[in-house]
Structure formats: structure tokens, C-alpha cells
Amino acid sequence: MIRLLLADDQALVRGAMAALLNMEPDLEVVAEVGRGDEVVAAAREHGADVALLDVQMPGLDGVAAARQLHRAVPGCRVLMVTTFGRAGYLRQAMAAGASGFVVKDTPARQLADAVRRVHEGLRVVDPGLAAQSLAYGDSPLTERETDVLRAARDGGTVADIARELRLSEGTVRNHLSAAIGKTGARTRAEAVRLARDHGWLLT
């Protein structure tokens, strides 16, 4: 039997997924949690072989939870199962140690097959997201431009960003301007959103 941990903050979705997966003769849902910061403890306690994680959860998002789980319980594989089918989330999840990434409208049989393949050590990625990720390609941003955009995510002023990164305000403005141009955005907030969606602002 492949022992599964489900982590999703929507109880109805989690319950439906558990019911579908438990119908498979070789799969058993041994734990369910609704918060990302409960994932590692549950995986350890119940000896999970594969953890199915949602991206957006309270306490800790799925990507951060995957990173923690990969370090703390390396024998437990991670399959991201999410509504948010974005190339940026895919890149972040894979960088965090996830072995697979599928969207929630994946048919039950395909989801079960994805679990088995991840358990075998294979990578499973939604084809549409994989194509989208390849289309976006590698980040055009320099390391410093990435730092400035990452610091700008919380909506701070140029002065705030300059203090945080120990740069002059003029340097911050130059980096923001370059990042806006490279992402094809019109504003700083749009540049942050586009860079995040493309997977160029990995946490």
C-alpha cells in the first residue's frame, strides 16, 4: 500500500479527494491536514509515502511546506495538487523539491496514476503547465533586479526597499525601471505579479 497524506484547507475538497483515492486498491489515505504548518508532523507521525499538497494554505503555503518536508522527511515524495495552474507555482514547487504538479480537475484515475509514478521516483507535471513554463523560459532579470522586485512585493516605498537592501534610492529606482521593462509591465505592481506568475521570484 502507498500511504498518502492530504493537505488542503478546503475540507470538502480534501474529503472528496480522500474518498476517490481510497477506492484504489493500492492507495490509502492515512492523514489529512488543513494547514501547511501541520504537514511535516503528520508525515512523520503517519509514515506517509506521498504527500499531496495544495499551493495556498494557512500557516504555511504548499511550496514552503514542500521545502520543509523535503528536508525533514526526504523519503516522503511530494505531489502538488492545486487549483492554481500557473507556471510560476510549478517552477517554485519543483525548486522546493516536489516530484509532481497537477491541477485539481485532473480525472481521478490520472491523479491515482500520478501518485503511483511519484512514489516510484518519477516526475509528473501537468502538460499544459510544462509547456507554459518552457515558453516563459529563464528569468531575464539580474540578481539585483530580482531582489528589488522581491522586496517590492509588500508594497513598500522606494525608500523602504532601499533601506531593506542597503541600496541608494536612485539605484532602487533604476533596478525597478529595468525590471518593469524586462517583464513588459506598466507598473511596479504589475512587474511583481508577472515575475511571480512566470516563476522568476522564487522564495
Side-chain angles (χ1 to χ4, degrees), residues 148 157-158 161-162 165 167-177:
V148 168
T157 65
V158 168
I161 297 170
L165 298 179
L167 299 172
S168 72
E169 292 185 23
T171 298
V172 169
R173 287 192 187 92
N174 288 340
H175 286 314
L176 284 173
S177 178

Side-chain angles (χ1 to χ4, degrees), residues 124-135:
V124 180
V125 178
D126 179 90
L129 284 176
Q132 191 180 43
S133 182
L134 287 173

Side-chain angles (χ1 to χ4, degrees), residues 4-7 17 21 49-55 62 66 69 76-82 93-94 97-103 106 110-119 122-126:
L4 308 179
L5 161 65
L6 305 186
M17 196 181 302
L21 292 171
D49 299 310
V50 178
L52 287 79
L53 310 182
D54 189 16
V55 168
L69 186 60
C76 182
R77 310 274 185 186
V78 174
L79 175 63
M80 306 299 295
V81 185
T82 182
M94 292 309 192
S99 298
F101 196 107
V102 296
V103 291
T106 299
Q110 289 182 25
L111 177 60
D113 184 54
V115 168
R116 295 184 185 102
R117 290 168 66 192
V118 164
H119 181 251
L122 302 174
R123 285 194 178 272
V124 180
V125 178
D126 179 90

